[in-house]
Amino acid sequence: MRRFILRRLGQTLLVLLVMSFVIYGLIGLMPGDPLDVMIASNPGASPEVVARLRVIYGLDQPLMLRYAHWLLAALQGDLGFSRTHSQPVLVVLAPALWTTCKLMLISFVVSVILALGLGIVSALRPGGWLDSLISLAAFAGISVPVFWLALMMILVFAVELHWLPASGRETVGDGSLLDVVRHLIMPVATLALANTGGFTRFVRASMIETLRMDHIRTARAKGNGEGRVVLIHALRNAMIPVLTVMALSFGTLFSGALLTETMFAQPGMGKMIYDAILSNDFNLALVGLLFATLITLLSNLAADLAYAWLDPRIKL
Amino acid sequence: MSVRATIMGLSLLMGLASPALAKDDLVIGVSQFAPSLNPNIDPTVIKSYVLDFAIRPMTAFDKDWKLSCLLCTTLPTIENGGAKFETTKDGKQGLAVTFTLKPDLKWSDGVPVTTKDLLFTWKLGSDPKSGFSNNNPWDRAKSIDVIDEHTAVLHLDRVIVAYNQWDQLLPEHLEAKAAEGKEAGDYLKATLYNRAPATAGLYNGPYMVTGYDSGAQIVLEPNPYWSGTKPSFKRVVIKTIENTAALQANLESGDIDLAPGDAPALTIDQVIALQQKAPDKFAYIYKPSLTYEHIDLKIENPFLQDVRVRRALLMAIDRDTLVSKLFAGKQPVAATWVNPLDANFAAGVPAVKYDPAGAKKLLAEAGWKPGADGICRNDKGDRLAFEIATTAGNKLRELVEAVLQSQWKASCVDIAIKNEPARTLFGETTKKRTFTGMVMYGWSSAVGESPRKTQFSDQIPTAANNYGGANYIGLNDPKMDGLIIQAEQELDPAKQKAIWAEMQGIYAEQVRVLPLFFRAEPYVVPKWLKGFTPTGHGDYSPLWAENWRAE
């Protein structure tokens, strides 16, 4: 097990190294240079000023040389300076990461709990009215665009009912736990609803397949209660393929909740990476994307470890 | 947990909605965040908007577009003797401009604002390594004589119209340490405005930044050492909601109070629609601004080399109807790049009227006759067809483009739309002048700013000047160059006006640009907010935020 983990961590580092090179190169291929964005928003900048800034930001150097400088500094713990924020990348990254962690972890847990419950109920009576209803809701969750769902929530719960704040992380001057929770309800609900549909379908399919297996019939024949059969014997086996899907989604969630973050003014990793790419902020975009890659790789490692725990026959 | 307890819990959570902060708080919703706050580095619109609450420039144009003193006691002019002609060491004519700082000015930590700060800012701003990119460069002054704590003389080595326009000072007692670095860009990394923007002492306006939640909101509170009119709000929160539909919903729910037109917020069509939906809920203001939407023509295109074709293109479009139907008549049609509110506007240069018959006649004179498909052809059988590009995804521009396309088609001109993302359009297409026919975008200037960047010959972007400049039309006219130089140097207002009239005349005569309209800044203002006055130019309304109050 220890050897497996060490090997995977080594592979992770290698992937990050390759990804850093690829991402830096790809951002460099985008049209225009980083200062074009600055000039577009500040037409007052004269060509002389722009030329000076190009030297200050090191943009007069070839792309690969800039990458080499970044890599060398990164190996010594300096992940670089964000051009747009004029601050070290880690300083910019930290608050975005905290927001994302709050949003993603809570919505992920909520959607997993909902999906497990609904998927199991659905799988117990496939084709029944409850299964049809849950399937309909799941498909609706998968199909509804996130920005629309978010906007509808704001219109209903903030504009019409005035129950919840429409946006932001907290009320200035309040910031109590209750206030933070109230600000989290709509973005978490939006993300959870968007994810629950897909997860529910996977849990349902996997459970239906598992419930037909011989060992389940054996468990029932031994006189185990239906609850024990479903929750202990079936669910444990059914979770193996579901875990893969969830682990992959978890990584995506860290960088892909752009719309939710934008609609509810909860700036996290997705928004930060998107803005950094658009404004050619190489260092920030690179570190943000590498972080999302790292989360995906680590969540897959966690999923692999969970397989072994769920099914002792699996050798790592 | 009982059902009753659950309901009580939910009521507590949901029922205590606090959409509205008390009236001593003002929440402003914008769609962009200011990622750094140093006033002299990368002064974007949103950054300047935020900073205008907190740090005052030396001088600014007011709501009547007149230059006024904000940090100084009297605006130095030639007439009042505050500015004097002098001869420089190399025998050229220069200017000596005397500024006296208001004696009771203080930074937000109580330290007085003095000529020490002026000297420090000038030295730093004149150092190319500092990375300053402010609108009124400090290196225009070649030396400064400090007379006393409040008075200093700035020596300019040439005569320029903007001799009395100067930007924000920096607090020497806080920023001197950040300026100690020797390498290019060191100041950029060390300045407190970027590293710790809520540091007391960085601001000298009525408000100061007390909270900076990256990407989300900036909180401003009254500067206790401000000596002017006492600000009325205990807190101003500038909240970023990038999606404008969500921003509008926040406005309707009461989570934000004000959507400004001088900072990126709601689009004009959203505000017009909101006004129709809720005419009495807010006050709606549409302030014509200095940003003008226009179409640059690629003069190297053989069909566009004939001025009759260019003029016909302008005559074929009904800009009055376009503005009236798409923008409820809120955005005035442009005759040239100079706004009628500008002192240098030449009323004698009329806007070209919509005249499709005249356009066809002019095209016929130029050798273009309608073909079987309704599109004009010349003797060689070439079709009169052009490509037009604008920023893809900008709904309003795309709408304008579609209207223009149909109007041109009615005058036998075929237009193919080829839009590009903003970064491609401005990063490649305009920058390298690779567009083949037309490119539509907006351009903002400062009050009285010469058209050097867009019309002077050395501003044509080429590989030789590293694609600097914004003369995308490729105008290379010695007469225009001469007039621009004169416009930048002539201090006599009457002569100045005549020079500007001549420039506008050339612009209108050559028709290298199709002017469309001046953008109006759309404001949604709470009815209880009084003392709020938009300016329509780059010195934004928060520069007078101490006058804003709730009634």
Side-chain angles (χ1 to χ4, degrees):
Chain A
M1 173 81 88
R2 197 172 154 190
R3 215 165 149 190
F4 170 78
I5 294 172
L6 285 173
R7 197 175 68 233
R8 284 290 293 272
L9 287 177
Q11 286 171 352
T12 301
L13 285 177
L14 189 67
V15 171
L16 288 178
L17 183 69
V18 173
M19 283 297 287
S20 71
F21 179 78
V22 172
I23 294 167
Y24 210 91
L26 285 177
I27 299 174
L29 284 179
M30 292 174 74
D33 83 25
L35 290 179
D36 290 332
V37 183
M38 186 186 281
I39 299 163
S41 54
N42 173 21
S46 66
E48 298 75 33
V49 168
V50 173
R52 247 172 16 214
L53 291 173
R54 196 163 271 126
V55 175
I56 285 176
Y57 289 117
L59 298 169
D60 55 332
Q61 296 170 353
L63 187 72
M64 281 305 115
L65 189 63
R66 270 152 46 200
Y67 170 70
H69 285 157
W70 177 84
L71 188 62
L72 222 63
L75 291 174
Q76 294 164 50
D78 175 8
L79 292 178
F81 197 75
S82 159
R83 187 189 55 75
T84 46
H85 294 260
S86 296
Q87 296 217 61
V89 162
L90 279 182
V91 173
V92 181
L93 202 75
L97 189 58
W98 171 235
T99 301
T100 297
C101 282
K102 266 193 307 190
L103 266 181
M104 299 308 143
L105 288 174
I106 300 172
S107 64
F108 187 75
V109 169
V110 169
S111 55
V112 167
I113 291 171
L114 281 175
L116 284 177
L118 295 172
I120 291 168
V121 169
S122 226
L124 287 176
R125 298 271 185 282
W129 68 270
L130 201 52
D131 178 37
S132 303
L133 193 69
I134 291 170
S135 294
L136 186 72
F139 282 124
I142 295 166
S143 320
V144 168
V146 169
F147 73 89
W148 184 84
L149 183 62
L151 196 57
M152 287 305 111
M153 283 207 177
I154 294 173
L155 289 176
V156 173
F157 296 107
V159 178
E160 293 301 324
L161 299 173
H162 290 287
W163 283 3
L164 293 167
S167 62
R169 292 196 272 234
E170 59 184 49
T171 309
V172 178
D174 186 338
S176 61
L177 181 64
L178 182 68
D179 182 56
V180 173
V181 170
R182 291 180 65 248
H183 280 83
L184 275 173
I185 290 175
M186 283 203 286
V188 164
T190 305
L191 275 173
L193 284 175
N195 290 320
T196 302
F199 289 172
T200 302
R201 296 297 298 165
F202 280 112
V203 173
R204 177 187 178 274
S206 191
M207 279 296 286
I208 288 174
E209 198 182 328
T210 310
L211 284 168
R212 286 179 189 147
M213 286 181 174
D214 289 346
H215 73 279
I216 297 297
R217 206 176 309 132
T218 311
R220 281 186 177 130
K222 280 180 174 175
N224 285 314
E226 190 62 15
R228 186 177 170 80
V229 170
V230 171
L231 295 176
I232 305 294
H233 295 276
L235 184 61
R236 194 163 174 156
N237 280 283
M239 279 306 286
I240 292 173
V242 174
L243 265 178
T244 309
V245 175
M246 287 178 175
L248 285 171
S249 319
F250 190 73
T252 321
L253 275 175
F254 258 81
S255 57
L258 174 66
L259 286 171
T260 313
E261 290 172 7
T262 308
M263 296 298 288
F264 293 106
Q266 297 251 358
M269 293 287 286
K271 186 77 186 69
M272 193 203 67
I273 293 171
Y274 176 77
D275 286 344
I277 291 173
L278 281 194
S279 54
N280 258 342
D281 192 340
F282 280 72
N283 293 347
L284 191 57
L286 177 60
V287 176
L289 286 168
L290 285 182
F291 201 84
T293 310
L294 179 68
I295 295 290
T296 309
L297 293 172
L298 290 181
S299 52
N300 274 291
L301 174 61
D304 284 349
L305 296 175
Y307 297 157
W309 175 72
L310 287 168
D311 186 350
R313 290 169 302 173
I314 295 174
K315 297 281 175 235
L316 297 175
Chain B
M1 192 191 283
S2 69
V3 174
R4 199 172 162 184
T6 309
I7 292 170
M8 279 180 71
L10 279 173
S11 305
L12 189 70
L13 202 62
M14 315 284 268
L16 293 178
S18 56
L21 294 164
K23 284 285 185 286
D24 38 337
D25 287 342
L26 175 69
V27 185
I28 301 172
V30 292
S31 61
Q32 280 177 20
F33 187 77
S36 64
L37 285 184
N38 190 300
N40 291 301
I41 296 168
D42 192 13
T44 56
V45 172
I46 185 61
K47 181 199 276 195
S48 302
Y49 181 81
V50 172
L51 284 173
D52 282 355
F53 283 95
I55 183 164
R56 294 284 145 96
M58 294 274 281
T59 58
F61 287 95
D62 63 16
K63 65 180 174 55
D64 300 317
W65 298 27
K66 299 270 182 285
L67 192 63
S68 60
C69 255
L70 295 189
L71 295 186
C72 42
T73 52
T74 312
L75 185 73
T77 62
I78 298 289
E79 294 75 30
N80 67 17
K84 288 179 178 151
F85 293 104
E86 65 180 7
T87 307
T88 60
K89 281 177 192 164
D90 50 2
K92 287 196 297 187
Q93 194 174 45
L95 280 170
V97 186
T98 304
F99 274 101
T100 301
L101 298 171
K102 289 180 180 170
D104 46 1
L105 278 175
K106 283 184 178 152
W107 295 102
S108 47
D109 56 359
V111 173
V113 177
T114 66
T115 44
K116 249 189 188 179
D117 301 310
L118 175 61
L119 196 63
F120 167 72
T121 310
W122 167 71
K123 276 186 185 160
L124 189 61
S126 302
D127 180 356
K129 294 200 295 287
S130 66
F132 275 35
S133 53
N134 55 318
N135 293 324
N136 294 300
W138 286 97
D139 60 5
R140 293 174 303 163
K142 298 303 162 194
S143 65
I144 291 186
D145 292 334
V146 173
I147 308 298
D148 58 34
E149 272 208 329
H150 295 106
T151 306
V153 183
L154 281 68
H155 295 280
L156 284 67
D157 66 349
R158 60 204 152 107
V159 176
I160 50 167
V161 171
Y163 66 86
N164 50 8
Q165 295 172 32
W166 297 88
D167 293 337
Q168 294 89 345
L169 301 183
L170 301 175
E172 189 263 352
H173 67 290
L174 292 176
E175 286 287 276
K177 202 166 184 306
E180 280 171 1
K182 300 282 178 233
E183 298 294 319
D186 279 354
Y187 173 68
L188 203 76
K189 292 177 182 172
T191 171
L192 283 173
Y193 287 98
N194 294 345
R195 283 197 304 118
T199 303
L202 290 177
Y203 307 98
N204 58 23
Y207 290 94
M208 58 185 194
V209 174
T210 56
Y212 185 84
D213 187 357
S214 188
Q217 62 191 18
I218 293 171
V219 182
L220 299 123
E221 290 177 21
N223 170 4
Y225 299 99
W226 168 252
S227 56
T229 305
K230 197 170 179 282
S232 149
F233 294 102
K234 285 184 182 158
R235 215 163 16 209
V236 174
V237 180
I238 301 175
K239 194 169 173 179
T240 306
I241 302 163
E242 299 213 12
N243 183 286
T244 56
L247 179 59
Q248 184 177 331
N250 274 258
L251 194 63
E252 291 182 72
S253 71
D255 284 71
I256 62 170
D257 301 312
L258 165 71
D262 43 0
L266 298 180
T267 55
I268 191 165
D269 58 323
Q270 277 183 302
V271 175
I272 291 169
L274 183 62
Q275 187 174 13
Q276 283 163 358
K277 182 180 159 191
D280 302 321
K281 194 171 178 184
F282 302 100
Y284 302 89
I285 303 170
Y286 302 89
K287 179 80 182 173
S289 78
L290 277 165
T291 305
Y292 95 116
E293 286 288 327
H294 63 283
I295 297 171
D296 279 356
L297 300 177
K298 181 74 177 276
I299 210 71
E300 289 88 343
N301 182 314
F303 302 164
L304 288 171
Q305 282 177 356
D306 189 331
V307 69
R308 290 171 297 185
V309 173
R310 304 200 298 265
R311 184 167 296 280
L313 287 173
L314 192 53
M315 289 162 73
I317 53 176
D318 185 359
R319 292 171 293 167
D320 286 311
T321 306
L322 183 141
V323 162
S324 143
K325 297 290 180 199
L326 293 186
F327 308 115
K330 308 289 185 194
Q331 315 214 88
V333 168
T336 68
W337 80 98
V338 185
N339 191 303
L341 295 172
D342 195 304
N344 291 317
F345 173 71
V349 180
V352 172
K353 291 283 170 209
Y354 174 53
D355 180 6
K360 276 189 179 169
K361 197 175 153 202
L362 211 52
L363 287 175
E365 279 174 29
W368 294 95
K369 306 270 168 52
D373 59 353
I375 301 302
C376 277
R377 283 184 162 74
N378 63 10
D379 295 343
K380 293 177 197 161
D382 298 324
R383 291 175 86 243
L384 188 57
F386 304 102
E387 278 183 350
I388 187 168
T390 192
T391 41
N394 184 321
K395 199 176 74 183
L396 288 180
R397 284 212 182 110
E398 288 173 342
L399 208 56
V400 169
E401 204 176 34
V403 172
L404 296 180
Q405 184 188 36
S406 80
Q407 291 182 346
W408 275 319
K409 192 167 184 185
S411 290
C412 81
V413 183
D414 187 30
I415 298 291
I417 292 174
K418 194 187 163 205
N419 293 342
E420 296 168 356
R423 60 176 302 143
T424 311
L425 188 76
F426 297 116
E428 289 290 325
T429 307
T430 53
K431 185 176 160 182
K432 297 187 176 166
R433 301 189 65 238
T434 55
F435 60 101
T436 58
M438 309 177 178
V439 61
M440 178 166 71
Y441 61 100
W443 183 264
S444 297
S445 332
V447 178
E449 184 186 356
S450 86
R452 173 176 285 273
K453 291 186 188 103
T454 51
Q455 298 182 52
F456 201 87
S457 59
D458 70 358
Q459 301 291 310
I460 300 172
T462 59
N465 66 9
N466 205 12
Y467 298 104
N471 183 351
Y472 303 133
I473 51 173
L475 179 62
N476 188 354
D477 181 347
K479 191 172 179 193
M480 190 60 144
D481 285 358
L483 287 167
I484 289 172
I485 292 168
Q486 283 181 50
E488 287 171 344
Q489 295 177 348
E490 180 55 64
L491 301 187
D492 182 320
K495 288 181 185 166
Q496 177 77 242
K497 209 167 160 64
I499 296 165
W500 275 76
E502 208 174 339
M503 289 195 293
Q504 289 164 78
I506 292 176
Y507 175 102
E509 190 187 300
Q510 295 192 355
V511 204
R512 286 167 179 256
V513 179
L514 308 180
L516 296 176
F517 50 83
F518 288 98
R519 269 195 227 158
E521 297 170 346
Y523 295 80
V524 183
V525 184
K527 288 198 156 174
W528 46 260
L529 184 67
K530 305 295 174 197
F532 174 83
T533 317
T535 64
H537 54 68
D539 293 330
Y540 305 115
S541 53
L543 277 176
W544 294 272
E546 66 269 34
N547 300 325
W548 299 5
R549 62 197 183 279
E551 273 180 14

